[in-house]
Amino acid sequence: MPQFRLLHKLIITVVYVENMRTTDNRNRYQLVLGLMFVAASAIFILAVHYFGLETEVVRGYFPYADELMRGSMPETEYPPFALVFFALPRLFADTAFGYNIMFVAEAVVFFIIGLVVTGKLAKRYNHSPNKAMLIYTIFMLLMLEFVVDRYDIFPVVLTLLSFYCFVTKRYVWAFVLLSIATMTKLYPAVLFPIYLIPFVMNRDWPNALKGTCVFILVAALIVLPFALLWPDAGFSFLTYHMDRPLHLESVAASFIHLTSVFGLNDVSIAFSYGSDNLIGPWPDTVASYLTPLMLMSLFLVYAFYTYRLSISRKEKYDNENSRMVLLGWAALLSLLAFITIGKVFSTQYIVWMIPFIVFMQMTTIDHVVKNNILVLSVIVIILSQLNFAVNVGLCGGGENVTDAGMMILLARNILVILLFAYVIWACKKGIYRKLWPGRSADT
């Protein structure tokens, strides 16, 4: 009937206009948050210039970029695709300070990409995009100098893009981006089994095989040119980490140092492999066992993830969205296992967890759990910044680090362990949004 057709058109028009308003509001919010981060980054650059500070970018990455511009391959701890991000700013600046400005601009671009993807993920899981983007921005601002003065923002955002492609069933792109992220910094490799497990459980062998082949092929295409052109340096990033001693900021180091305070063992602090490390009989022995223990812990996380997937089937809320929510939780657990039990724990590693902590805020319906995870994460960041200010800023690092400074690290690491345990408990209890097929958001 004509009047019903007219009413239908009116309803469609109202819905369309409302969606446009929501979209415009989200875009404005993205712009405001992006400008906030740009302003903070500009203040960082001005402070570096005014106080004459030597940044990690100038000290570490600029020489690599210069060497690449001269046509030689630097022997470095970084996987080969990291050199792409080091080289790009050098194309636009040939002075150290100019390079620093361009590197920060590159980091800002990736922050904004992550901001947009965070909003899209929130919309998909029926969460406020503005709130999710705000939490993402606050975390990144709290870690500002580790976002713009380290290169971890690049693998972090590549991993986030990969995760978004996976939850939206763009599986090939998900594995491509995960492989590129791994060839930028090795840690995203811990997510590879998590991507495969849902396929294996569903006996989806074509996607499992395709994902594996794509992941390996992309990594090979990135590594092989470097290995062929510079055989001595092409795989140095793999051998570099094998003999590293116990990093001073690692969880194990902070506990071992505590025993030395009570005279139970003798340790010292020495600089090597680009970081301050704890040296002595106990730390040297413990360091040799941590990598196998870390791999075992990751295997347990994968087993736990598989178990939770099987439980979701038995409890009859198994669907695409609930599996992807579990995947996000498993990703955070994997990163926490890698950080907590590994022999290296640089402060910038905390940036790795930010997208998945924000994802938990999107998908957790228990407000107590959500708030506790948020509070624990913020305190971990505050203590990490306090450690940086005291042990690096005031003491100058190395042998100048005091017992009081090590107590800050111990407190931070205890909270990281608590965060790890709490996330395990929350996942075990199944405290995540049980998205039924009828509530699935649009991709």
Side-chain angles (χ1 to χ4, degrees):
M1 296 175 67
Q3 59 266 40
F4 285 109
R5 285 197 295 270
L6 181 62
L7 180 61
H8 179 261
K9 288 181 180 179
L10 180 61
I11 292 171
I12 291 296
T13 302
V14 170
V15 170
Y16 175 77
V17 170
E18 187 60 34
N19 284 339
M20 286 295 292
R21 286 176 179 172
T22 302
T23 301
D24 290 343
N25 178 53
R26 186 165 73 250
N27 290 340
R28 285 196 297 270
Y29 208 71
Q30 284 174 353
L31 179 62
V32 170
L33 294 176
L35 289 174
M36 284 174 55
F37 194 83
V38 168
S41 301
I43 291 170
F44 173 83
I45 284 290
L46 290 173
V48 165
H49 180 67
Y50 182 79
F51 293 105
L53 302 175
E54 186 183 37
T55 63
E56 184 68 24
V57 168
V58 170
R59 181 172 56 250
Y61 307 155
F62 183 58
Y64 290 147
D66 255 357
E67 199 167 342
L68 285 167
M69 293 297 287
R70 292 194 299 269
S72 60
M73 171 70 173
E75 188 169 345
T76 171
E77 64 178 291
Y78 306 113
F81 207 81
L83 299 174
V84 173
F85 297 110
F86 298 163
L88 281 174
R90 181 63 179 80
L91 296 175
F92 303 96
D94 54 6
T95 65
F97 186 64
Y99 177 86
N100 208 155
I101 292 173
M102 296 310 300
F103 188 93
V104 170
E106 185 181 28
V108 168
V109 169
F110 269 74
F111 162 82
I112 292 171
I113 294 171
L115 182 70
V116 172
V117 176
T118 298
K120 288 181 176 293
L121 270 174
K123 180 177 180 293
R124 176 180 174 80
Y125 289 99
N126 304 314
H127 185 81
S128 165
N130 290 356
K131 185 176 180 181
M133 291 187 296
L134 178 62
I135 295 172
Y136 169 86
T137 303
I138 289 172
F139 272 115
M140 290 295 183
L141 287 172
L142 287 173
M143 293 292 293
L144 179 67
E145 72 272 35
F146 297 101
V147 175
V148 298
D149 195 33
R150 303 293 189 277
Y151 85 100
D152 295 70
I153 186 65
F154 308 128
V156 164
V157 173
L158 286 169
T159 303
L160 177 60
L161 279 167
S162 170
F163 180 75
Y164 179 73
C165 286
F166 197 92
V167 302
T168 54
K169 298 185 180 181
R170 299 173 175 92
Y171 298 130
V172 171
W173 276 110
F175 282 100
V176 166
L177 289 165
L178 188 68
S179 186
I180 295 172
T182 301
M183 289 296 101
T184 304
K185 193 147 192 169
L186 292 175
Y187 85 87
V190 304
L191 304 188
F192 175 68
I194 291 174
Y195 280 17
L196 285 183
I197 287 171
F199 294 137
V200 173
M201 289 192 68
N202 292 329
R203 301 178 186 274
D204 187 353
W205 307 118
N207 272 322
L209 182 61
K210 187 189 300 181
T212 302
C213 291
V214 166
F215 183 85
I216 295 172
L217 179 62
V218 171
L221 289 174
I222 292 171
V223 172
L224 283 177
F226 290 91
L228 292 173
L229 290 171
W230 301 285
D232 294 335
F235 291 99
S236 60
F237 71 97
L238 292 174
T239 57
Y240 182 91
H241 296 280
M242 294 175 66
D243 299 321
R244 285 192 71 164
L246 192 63
H247 186 225
L248 186 65
E249 295 185 38
S250 67
V251 172
S254 58
F255 281 98
I256 292 173
H257 188 275
L258 179 63
T259 64
S260 73
V261 172
F262 295 103
L264 298 178
N265 75 92
D266 186 27
V267 299
S268 61
I269 299 171
F271 184 84
S272 62
Y273 290 85
S275 63
D276 291 327
N277 304 298
L278 201 64
I279 306 298
W282 282 26
D284 293 348
T285 301
V286 169
S288 64
Y289 289 103
L290 281 180
T291 298
L293 284 173
M294 183 263 290
L295 293 174
M296 287 176 59
S297 70
L298 285 171
F299 177 79
L300 290 174
V301 168
Y302 303 147
F304 181 56
Y305 171 47
T306 305
Y307 167 75
R308 285 305 313 171
L309 284 173
S310 65
I311 288 296
S312 69
R313 289 183 177 182
K314 290 180 182 178
E315 294 179 359
K316 297 181 181 179
Y317 57 83
D318 178 54
N319 59 72
E320 187 65 30
N321 278 325
S322 66
R323 287 195 294 274
M324 294 305 102
V325 169
L326 270 173
L327 185 142
W329 282 60
L332 180 58
L333 282 175
S334 298
L335 295 177
L336 282 165
F338 186 89
I339 291 169
T340 306
I341 305 173
K343 62 180 179 180
V344 180
F345 182 2
S346 297
T347 302
Q348 62 264 27
Y349 290 8
I350 294 170
V351 180
W352 303 353
M353 300 187 292
I354 289 175
F356 296 106
I357 291 171
V358 176
F359 185 73
M360 278 191 149
Q361 299 302 305
M362 300 177 196
T363 57
T364 304
I365 57 175
D366 189 305
H367 291 287
V368 174
V369 170
K370 182 187 297 190
N371 292 338
N372 287 344
I373 290 172
L374 197 62
V375 169
L376 276 172
S377 301
V378 169
I379 297 175
V380 164
I381 290 176
I382 291 171
L383 287 173
S384 296
Q385 291 286 20
L386 184 60
N387 159 64
F388 186 72
V390 172
N391 291 331
V392 178
L394 295 179
C395 297
E399 296 178 354
N400 298 321
V401 175
T402 64
D403 289 346
M406 289 302 297
M407 292 305 103
I408 297 173
L409 269 174
L410 179 64
R412 191 278 304 272
N413 289 339
I414 288 173
L415 282 175
V416 171
I417 293 171
L418 288 176
L419 178 62
F420 189 16
Y422 194 77
V423 173
I424 292 172
W425 173 82
C427 194
K428 182 176 181 296
K429 293 294 183 181
I431 306 173
Y432 46 82
R433 189 183 297 275
K434 297 176 181 178
L435 289 169
W436 301 90
R439 294 175 59 194
S440 173
D442 295 335
T443 59

